[in-house]
Amino acid sequence: MTTAGEIMHPGAQWIPATETLDRAAQLMSRLNVGALPISDGEERLCGILTDRDIVVGCVAMGHDPSKITAGDLAKGTPRWIDAGADVSEVLEEMQSHQIKRLPVIRNKKLVGMISEADLARHLSDKQIADWAEQVYARG
């Protein structure tokens, strides 16, 4: 059995909900990532911020990224997976919610993220094709 913990990119970092988007973009650049999990004051997952969220939800709307916070863009119910979950559960979670990145939690702590690149490195071509068909399907 392959687990979420085995395919994830370890060492993911939270961004506090109170952090501004310009600082979030700087952290993304420094970490070379396109998404950051957003944490509330008690380090609980309250959303995921993507580089696209910053561009579309802030910059394109004419807002100042130094005045908008990560929490301002956190919407919906954040999805996550336990580090011990089987890869089939990872795929189901990502497919059923049409998401491309999934935080990995162990003992209520963020331990990593699973992205498309992680899936591509660890799954068969058929698994990747099935995943992509479901995640990218719009309907």
Side-chain angles (χ1 to χ4, degrees):
M1 172 177 100
T2 303
T3 66
E6 293 170 332
I7 68 169
M8 72 179 185
H9 179 84
Q13 291 186 15
W14 296 111
I15 184 138
T18 56
E19 191 62 80
T20 58
L21 297 183
D22 60 336
R23 299 290 301 242
Q26 292 165 5
L27 181 58
M28 286 180 188
S29 177
R30 192 174 79 235
L31 297 174
N32 194 31
V33 298
L36 295 168
I38 304 169
S39 69
D40 64 13
E42 296 176 25
E43 289 198 356
R44 290 181 304 206
L45 182 66
C46 64
I48 293 183
L49 179 68
T50 67
D51 46 9
R52 186 175 193 283
D53 292 334
I54 295 171
V55 172
V56 174
C58 178
V59 177
M61 302 297 288
H63 300 298
D64 182 347
S66 69
K67 301 206 180 337
I68 305 295
T69 67
D72 291 335
L73 296 186
K75 295 179 178 72
T77 303
R79 310 308 305 177
W80 58 274
I81 196 89
D82 185 87
D86 184 75
V87 72
S88 63
E89 294 174 70
V90 170
L91 294 173
E92 174 59 28
E93 185 70 16
M94 295 174 85
Q95 289 170 330
S96 65
H97 297 284
Q98 292 186 305
I99 55 177
K100 300 169 193 140
R101 298 169 177 104
L102 189 63
V104 180
I105 307 291
R106 180 182 292 128
N107 299 324
K108 299 183 181 180
K109 299 286 183 199
L110 177 70
V111 294
M113 286 280 276
I114 296 174
S115 69
E116 293 168 282
D118 298 313
L119 296 178
R121 281 192 291 276
H122 294 94
L123 302 180
S124 71
D125 289 346
K126 171 138 178 47
Q127 286 174 303
I128 293 295
D130 291 345
W131 175 85
E133 183 178 341
Q134 291 297 313
V135 169
Y136 287 102
R138 300 287 181 224

